[in-house]
Amino acid sequence: MSDLPPSGSTEPAASGPPADPTAPPPPAAEPAPGPPGTTGGATPASGASGADPWAGHTGPVPIVPAEPGYDTPQPGAPVPATPPGWTAPDDTSPGHTSQGWTVPPGTPPQGWNAPGTPPHGWNAPPGTPPPGWGGPVYPGYPMPGAAYPVPGAAYPVPAGPGAYAGWFPGIDPQDPLVNPPHAGIGPWFARCTAALRRGWRQLLPIVLLTQVVPAAVIGVLTLVFSPEGEMATAPDGAPVLPAGFWGQMFAFYGVLLSAGLVFGLLQAAGWAAGTWVVARQAAGEPTGLGAAFRYGLRRALGLWGWTLLVSLLVMIGSCFCLLPGLYAAFALALFGPVYLFERREPIGRAWRMFHSRFGMVLGRVALVMAVLLAATVLDAVVGGISGAVFGVEPMKAVGTAIGAVALAVFGALLAAPAYLAQQVGLVVTYAEQRAQEGPVNAARLAAELG
């Protein structure tokens, strides 16, 4: 009787050598893994791939636990459907079976993690919110560590001229007029310079007509009505005022006060017209020079009245000491924009804005005041040159009078850049303070002007 296995069998005989010692033995079938704790098992014959590997087993079928981090999908990932007829390669690791388990083509190799996902077994540090938790709503300040804003908020943009590389609910970080909260002095300065670049063609004529011309006229009136005469000496050596000194002094200050009141109305119209141009250009609306002057004249009387009241308060403070007067000038510097945009209690609102964000407003207003101080120093230098060249009484001769008047006009022209900086700086500072109180943009501010 032959020792060869029966025809059709793939399992070698249980005992006995092969019939032909020179022929290589047939390859042994890979044993299928059995239950945990066992080694090997029976392999179904070819053609019976769908056979139950637990056939003939008595008792409950053991549950094979999945080994973490091996073939298990990422937490929360859906299990894709298995294409029919495709099987995964055999895996002889404990706890896995190659029978009846299929994965779709394109499945990443074992142990692979998607980019941006933590490795398997990684635990978030204590205090990390669970997945899907959106966190609380921060109505006035950016969400700590937030990368994207809530619906309705502006998305972060790369930092550029005047840009705020961050997020604040309801604030557009690229708004051409409103500096977002916590953006700093750099974007504030960038918005001031951008406003000058946009509107210098309209702002320069407004400033020349309503600020430089009144300053030049007042300078000439100062030359004409300045008290004349020199101090005399009495027989006892005491100084004596020249004859008619007090009359000339009262006439001098009376003329200057009257000119200041008359030209103050024109200056108020110029400030209102310039504010209108700055706000509307930032909102992308048309800004004709005629329309700007019409708006300025319409709002000039009210702004002029508030200007007189603020000037009186500053003067009273200066009478006690220079510091109280200077403090009042800083604290009430935003009264003009408050009146034009809000039309209610400009002195009280300006005072509260200054003290609620003291350092911020003080820094912005100080920069504007520094520019005005520089213009004042230049005007004083020009006046000193005029006195040294044409004397203390230049109006007695035609030649010296023409030269002194020319220098007075030149000194007023030198102050034009300071007037432009004051106009733009105060409007941008006011817009920044409004953003500190709530969402606002250039279009809304332009609409508030009326």
Side-chain angles (χ1 to χ4, degrees), residues 9-227:
S9 173
T10 61
E11 183 177 359
S15 63
D20 186 3
T22 63
E30 183 178 359
T38 64
T39 58
T43 302
S46 61
S49 60
D52 186 1
W54 299 104
H57 178 80
T58 60
V61 178
I63 298 176
V64 181
E67 182 177 350
Y70 197 76
D71 288 333
T72 55
Q74 295 293 331
V79 179
T82 302
W86 191 90
T87 60
D90 289 340
D91 188 352
T92 58
S93 60
H96 290 76
T97 177
S98 61
Q99 302 298 328
W101 183 83
T102 58
V103 293
T107 301
Q110 299 170 357
W112 182 85
N113 290 309
T117 60
H120 187 80
W122 180 86
N123 292 321
T128 303
W133 182 78
V137 178
Y138 291 79
Y141 294 92
M143 187 182 301
Y148 297 97
V150 296
Y155 281 80
V157 294
Y164 172 52
W167 165 71
F168 193 85
I171 299 293
D172 182 6
Q174 291 285 16
D175 191 278
L177 183 62
V178 180
N179 193 32
H182 317 299
I185 192 67
W188 174 88
F189 185 77
R191 282 171 170 81
C192 292
T193 55
L196 284 175
R197 287 195 299 268
R198 286 192 305 266
W200 70 270
R201 291 177 179 84
Q202 291 82 17
L203 293 176
L204 186 58
I206 293 174
V207 166
L208 290 176
L209 182 60
T210 62
Q211 310 298 328
V212 173
V213 169
V217 171
I218 291 177
V220 172
L221 291 177
T222 302
L223 293 174
V224 173
F225 291 94
S226 179

Side-chain angles (χ1 to χ4, degrees), residues 97-433:
T97 177
S98 61
Q99 302 298 328
W101 183 83
T102 58
V103 293
T107 301
Q110 299 170 357
W112 182 85
N113 290 309
T117 60
H120 187 80
W122 180 86
N123 292 321
T128 303
W133 182 78
V137 178
Y138 291 79
Y141 294 92
M143 187 182 301
Y148 297 97
V150 296
Y155 281 80
V157 294
Y164 172 52
W167 165 71
F168 193 85
I171 299 293
D172 182 6
Q174 291 285 16
D175 191 278
L177 183 62
V178 180
N179 193 32
H182 317 299
I185 192 67
W188 174 88
F189 185 77
R191 282 171 170 81
C192 292
T193 55
L196 284 175
R197 287 195 299 268
R198 286 192 305 266
W200 70 270
R201 291 177 179 84
Q202 291 82 17
L203 293 176
L204 186 58
I206 293 174
V207 166
L208 290 176
L209 182 60
T210 62
Q211 310 298 328
V212 173
V213 169
V217 171
I218 291 177
V220 172
L221 291 177
T222 302
L223 293 174
V224 173
F225 291 94
S226 179
E228 299 177 356
E230 297 181 356
M231 298 290 292
T233 304
D236 57 356
V240 178
L241 295 174
F245 174 80
W246 290 111
Q248 295 177 1
M249 185 63 67
F250 280 114
F252 172 73
Y253 284 108
V255 168
L256 292 184
L257 181 59
S258 301
L261 291 176
V262 172
F263 288 123
L265 188 61
L266 179 62
Q267 290 174 329
W271 290 123
T275 302
W276 186 85
V277 168
V278 171
R280 286 181 62 89
Q281 283 189 340
E285 301 179 6
T287 54
L289 195 59
F293 276 115
R294 286 193 295 271
Y295 174 82
L297 292 174
R298 189 168 70 249
R299 305 297 299 276
L301 188 59
L303 183 59
W304 179 60
W306 287 108
T307 303
L308 291 177
L309 183 56
V310 171
S311 301
L312 182 61
L313 293 176
V314 173
M315 187 182 302
I316 294 174
S318 301
C319 291
F320 291 99
C321 184
L322 179 61
L323 187 58
L326 188 62
Y327 186 85
F330 275 84
L332 302 178
L334 296 179
F335 82 94
V338 169
Y339 169 75
L340 294 174
F341 286 100
E342 303 180 27
R343 291 183 290 279
R344 60 184 179 91
E345 54 171 349
I347 292 180
R349 280 280 290 151
W351 183 272
R352 288 192 296 272
M353 280 186 177
F354 180 77
H355 290 91
S356 59
R357 288 165 292 276
F358 180 81
M360 180 186 298
V361 183
L362 179 63
R364 274 54 163 176
V365 175
L367 291 176
V368 175
M369 294 292 186
V371 177
L372 293 176
L373 180 61
T376 304
V377 171
L378 286 177
D379 185 63
V381 170
V382 172
I385 295 174
S386 176
V389 174
F390 304 110
V392 295
E393 297 179 357
M395 307 306 293
K396 288 186 175 181
V398 176
T400 56
I402 293 175
V405 169
L407 282 179
V409 174
F410 178 71
L413 285 172
L414 288 178
Y419 295 136
L420 289 172
Q422 182 183 13
Q423 173 78 79
V424 173
L426 292 181
V427 174
V428 175
T429 301
Y430 169 79
E432 183 183 36
Q433 300 314 303

